[in-house]
Amino acid sequence: SRMERYEPTAPSGYYDGSELVIEPLGDFNYLNFANGSWLDFFDDHIVDAISDQITFNTEVVEVDYTNTPVRLTTADGEVHAANQVIVTAPIAVLQRGGIRFVPPLPADKQAALDAAVVWGGIKVFVEFAERFYPTFLEFADSDTTTGQRTYYDAAAHHSSDTNVIGLFAVGTAAEPYQAHTGDDLRDYVLAELDEIFDGAASRTYIGHVAQNWSNEPFIEQAYLNDYADPAIPPALASPLGDRVFFAGDAYTTHDDWGGVDDAAQSARDAVALIVG
């Protein structure tokens, strides 16, 4: 997979509640996969080499790092042992005690968990018969300290004749969408787009898919909020001695968090600690 930049001339829209204003996107320092995604990247370059070592549908409920080896207990009572373990569970899972640590997590790490405000999130993809929307569509609440939302051309940089708009929403900005499911969510999104685009959404609607990440088992969240105390991620990333390490988009030490690239870098950092 290769990466591409958005063209500065791409249309970018802003809706203030009564009027849609469209202007050129301009310089936008964001790369997008061309005809692919992060999932494709991992499938192509990583998963094939380790697929026979992955165990699916197995919930780890306890990590006992009292001694070496570390003992992992699963929900069905099986015990696995390893000299080092990398925990990649989402913050929300750890916050609700989904994994028991023996001994309990150190006070500084538990304090970081308690202080972490994690945004919930939802994504919706809607296919239309026509492309009536700009590359990006933003609102007054598209970037606030409590949440974010934007519509975007989900077919951009893909060799496809389909017209798909994506909705990305996290935090408080996601809650109005998360209050709906199924056809009600479809109707809510179409009504919002119809108001902005003079009914074009309902006239050209073909189908949609939605994923409420807050309701996904073993995920239960989107990501650590963008305005979190920058001391939280390194505290979450700190290992438990030389036995238990942490990796994921919020377990970072490089002054950024919340993205797949951050998660990938944190995994490299954890492995580097293990191998020295």
Side-chain angles (χ1 to χ4, degrees), residues 15 17-18 20 122 124 126 128 132 137-142 149-152 165-169 173-174 176-177 180 184-202:
Y15 185 68
S18 59
L20 174 64
I122 188 172
V124 182
V126 190
F128 298 100
F132 55 83
L137 174 63
E138 297 193 335
F139 308 85
D141 61 348
S142 281
R149 69 166 172 143
T150 187
Y151 284 95
Y152 61 99
I165 194 172
L167 166 67
F168 166 88
Y177 303 101
H180 302 273
D184 288 336
L185 175 60
R186 175 202 63 197
D187 294 343
Y188 183 84
V189 169
L190 290 179
E192 180 172 65
L193 293 174
D194 278 343
E195 177 184 328
I196 302 169
F197 298 105
D198 297 325
S202 291

Side-chain angles (χ1 to χ4, degrees), residues 211-228:
Q211 190 153 31
N212 184 348
W213 290 106
S214 301
N215 290 346
E216 287 292 324
F218 313 116
I219 297 176
E220 305 170 20
Q221 62 167 79
Y223 49 80
L224 178 66
N225 83 87
D226 285 352
Y227 299 90

Side-chain angles (χ1 to χ4, degrees), residues 44-79:
D44 293 344
H45 300 287
I46 297 175
V47 174
D48 279 350
I50 61 172
S51 58
D52 61 343
Q53 301 176 56
I54 299 175
T55 301
F56 293 98
N57 302 314
T58 304
E59 180 186 3
V60 173
V61 296
E62 182 178 276
V63 176
D64 186 340
Y65 63 103
T66 306
N67 300 298
T68 302
V70 179
R71 294 167 58 87
L72 306 178
T73 302
T74 66
D76 58 8
E78 290 188 2
V79 177

Side-chain angles (χ1 to χ4, degrees), residues 1-6 30-37 136 152-158:
S1 299
R2 73 179 192 277
M3 308 295 286
E4 290 184 354
R5 294 190 182 278
Y6 286 91
Y30 184 85
L31 293 171
N32 197 16
F33 280 99
N35 294 315
S37 65
F136 291 99
Y152 61 99
D153 180 2
H157 303 138
H158 294 273

